[in-house]
Amino acid sequence: PLKVFRGKKSAPPSRVETIDAEGNPVVYSDKHGVESAASEHLLERFKTARTCPFEEGGLHEDFAFKASTQATDEVFNGTYVPPEDADATAVHYLEEAKLLWDEHQTIIDVTFTPKDYSWWQTAREKTESSKSGIHFGHYKAQSFSKLLTSIQVLKLNLVYKRGRPLRRWLHALTLLLAKKAGGSSIDKLRAICLLEADCNWSFKVIFAKKTMANANDHDLIPPELFARSGTSATQGCFARIMWCDVNRTLNNSFSVQSCDLGQCYDAINHVAASIALQSFGVPKKAVDIMHTVLQEMQFWLRTAFGDSDVPFGGSALDPTMGEGQGSGAAPPTFTSMSTVMIRLLKKHGFHSELKGSWSDAIICILAILYVDDIDMLLAALSAQDNDEFIEMVQKAITEWGKIVMVTGG
């Protein structure tokens, strides 16, 4: 059934369409043209987050590009004094992350074990990965040997103890896929990053498995987030419908605002991401390794013409950002950031309360989030007229925009 009903995979593009300086469409259909246009566009996209408040003035001096400085320790110790030119919303973001950390104060153990590595025995060998050519099949074969498993485990533990990634982890294949079949507009192409298999697996264990387990154990994730284990987009849609039905029944004025994010994973600032992950209990070295990989990554484009001969990417002094579509750490990173963002917006009092008629239980809900798809749910207060309610809706959207810009835009 899966082979019959599963949608066909999008093929890498053989042509891309861009817009020149005068606003006219330009189509490239040769190897050099496609690779040059795509590389230039993606490099600009991956640096979108470099324009956020954490990259300006005193905040940049305090946190640099990865928030692996002394200032980060001061944030979580409660002793950090922001510079005078600091963006107010960015400062509130730091304060909210500190409050989130105070709720559990649990440092996640990022040590790998042979039991963790046994996952490779069930891995799908055909999964694409690894510019180096060391693919899933190699790791699967090694997982059946106790000696080779112990070597791999020791290697990964040494990497995370030293806080520096392997050199080959800084190279990745970037596969361009159209969001819609036949689409060639460069703005509508997804850039899927195929990391080294062992690198991405380590990200999944630390961030997707251990970090989310700790978050669930301490009930850190707000009910507004539906892109997590045990929930689905369908449940999010149903929750939105029920919320609207309740307000119609109560004859309340209400608003559902679509506040979707533009580039999602590609426009995440690493300082904001690091602060959020550390508030969830991820050790600083583990976050630093992930962001070093992404900031110094050399991306090798894969198009219909094959793999590019020359990569593009960033460096320690001129880094690329974003969390990388295809990275196992991207979804949990986005979850941790969304948690801080929603908590911060709730401090403004925009959320509405729903009270159960039987249980008297009160639910405070502000939005429905499924990754970058966001519906903000706002209900008028009993004392508000329509003009006051519309003013509140605009204020909520404005505050959300400020918070989004702090995280990269």
Side-chain angles (χ1 to χ4, degrees):
L2 286 177
K3 291 184 178 180
V4 175
F5 296 107
R6 181 186 292 166
K8 293 182 179 180
K9 292 183 178 179
S10 299
S14 59
R15 62 197 297 269
V16 294
E17 179 182 321
T18 63
I19 304 297
D20 63 17
E22 298 178 356
N24 300 315
V26 180
V27 177
Y28 298 93
S29 57
D30 63 289
K31 177 179 171 65
H32 176 73
V34 169
E35 290 179 356
S36 297
S39 297
E40 181 180 350
H41 176 80
L42 291 178
L43 191 58
E44 181 181 351
R45 183 192 295 183
F46 294 160
K47 291 185 179 181
T48 301
R50 293 272 298 275
T51 60
C52 85
F54 280 119
E55 302 300 319
E56 300 172 352
L59 286 177
H60 181 61
E61 293 177 7
D62 287 348
F63 297 100
F65 290 119
K66 293 185 287 190
S68 56
T69 61
Q70 179 63 33
T72 305
D73 296 331
E74 294 174 358
V75 167
F76 293 106
N77 292 333
T79 59
Y80 178 66
V81 179
E84 293 183 359
D85 64 347
D87 179 84
T89 306
V91 174
H92 294 325
Y93 184 92
L94 297 174
E95 294 170 347
E96 194 59 41
K98 165 65 166 62
L99 294 175
L100 184 60
W101 162 250
D102 288 342
E103 292 183 10
H104 64 102
Q105 296 190 349
T106 303
I107 296 292
I108 295 166
D109 182 10
V110 297
T111 304
F112 297 94
T113 66
K115 184 178 179 181
D116 293 327
Y117 199 80
S118 65
W119 174 88
W120 284 104
Q121 295 181 7
T122 60
R124 179 177 174 270
E125 289 190 56
K126 293 183 179 180
T127 302
E128 293 185 79
S129 68
S130 306
K131 175 68 172 66
S132 68
I134 308 175
H135 55 75
F136 268 52
H138 292 95
Y139 296 106
K140 183 168 185 173
Q142 292 174 6
S143 67
F144 289 95
S145 166
K146 290 184 178 180
L147 175 61
L148 296 178
T149 293
S150 64
I151 293 174
Q152 290 291 338
V153 168
L154 287 171
K155 177 190 69 177
L156 290 172
N157 285 333
L158 181 59
V159 166
Y160 281 92
K161 186 175 181 179
R162 290 179 65 245
R164 183 67 189 174
L166 298 176
R167 190 171 300 174
R168 62 179 170 83
W169 287 8
L170 304 182
H171 294 264
L173 291 169
T174 299
L175 182 63
L176 295 178
L177 297 176
K179 294 182 179 180
K180 294 183 179 180
S184 61
S185 174
I186 200 163
D187 291 325
K188 301 298 182 181
L189 294 178
R190 286 193 178 97
I192 308 301
C193 190
L194 304 180
L195 303 174
E196 287 292 309
D198 57 340
C199 170
N200 208 19
W201 175 77
S202 71
F203 288 172
K204 290 178 180 178
V205 172
I206 292 173
F207 298 97
K209 182 180 178 181
K210 295 185 176 182
T211 302
M212 290 299 99
N214 180 65
N216 291 328
D217 289 343
H218 294 92
D219 197 25
L220 302 181
I221 304 175
E224 285 87 352
L225 273 60
F226 285 83
R228 53 174 171 156
S229 178
T231 61
S232 66
T234 303
Q235 290 174 309
C237 292
F238 183 73
R240 180 190 61 192
I241 293 170
M242 291 295 293
W243 184 88
C244 292
D245 287 347
V246 168
N247 281 281
R248 287 193 187 98
T249 302
L250 297 175
N251 200 27
N252 289 338
S253 296
F254 66 92
S255 167
V256 178
Q257 298 294 327
S258 178
C259 301
D260 296 355
L261 304 182
Q263 297 295 343
C264 190
Y265 294 159
D266 292 337
I268 291 177
N269 178 267
H270 288 173
V271 173
S274 179
I275 293 294
L277 286 168
Q278 290 184 61
S279 74
F280 268 56
V282 184
K284 187 191 297 183
K285 279 187 177 181
V287 182
D288 193 54
I289 286 176
M290 178 186 67
H291 286 154
T292 298
V293 168
L294 294 165
Q295 291 185 8
E296 301 179 23
M297 178 67 73
Q298 297 303 299
F299 299 93
W300 300 78
L301 276 177
R302 174 170 290 179
T303 65
F305 303 100
D307 296 347
S308 61
D309 299 320
V310 179
F312 71 93
S315 64
L317 298 178
D318 185 22
T320 50
M321 293 203 173
E323 293 299 324
Q325 296 193 49
S327 168
T333 298
F334 199 84
T335 296
S336 66
M337 294 178 66
S338 298
T339 297
V340 179
M341 294 165 72
I342 285 295
R343 288 168 57 111
L344 185 54
L345 189 59
K346 280 187 171 181
K347 291 293 179 67
H348 292 278
F350 297 123
H351 58 279
S352 57
E353 293 184 353
L354 296 179
K355 185 176 182 181
S357 57
W358 290 351
S359 63
D360 280 341
I362 296 177
I363 300 175
C364 297
I365 190 165
L366 175 60
I368 301 295
L369 282 78
Y370 193 84
V371 194
D372 61 335
D373 296 327
I374 302 165
D375 287 337
M376 190 180 298
L377 310 178
L378 301 170
L381 303 176
S382 57
Q384 284 182 324
D385 58 29
N386 288 337
D387 290 338
E388 291 172 336
F389 175 55
I390 292 173
E391 183 179 350
M392 184 187 78
V393 171
Q394 182 58 62
K395 185 178 179 182
I397 295 173
T398 300
E399 292 298 332
W400 176 249
K402 292 179 181 179
I403 296 171
V404 170
M405 291 307 297
V406 165
T407 63

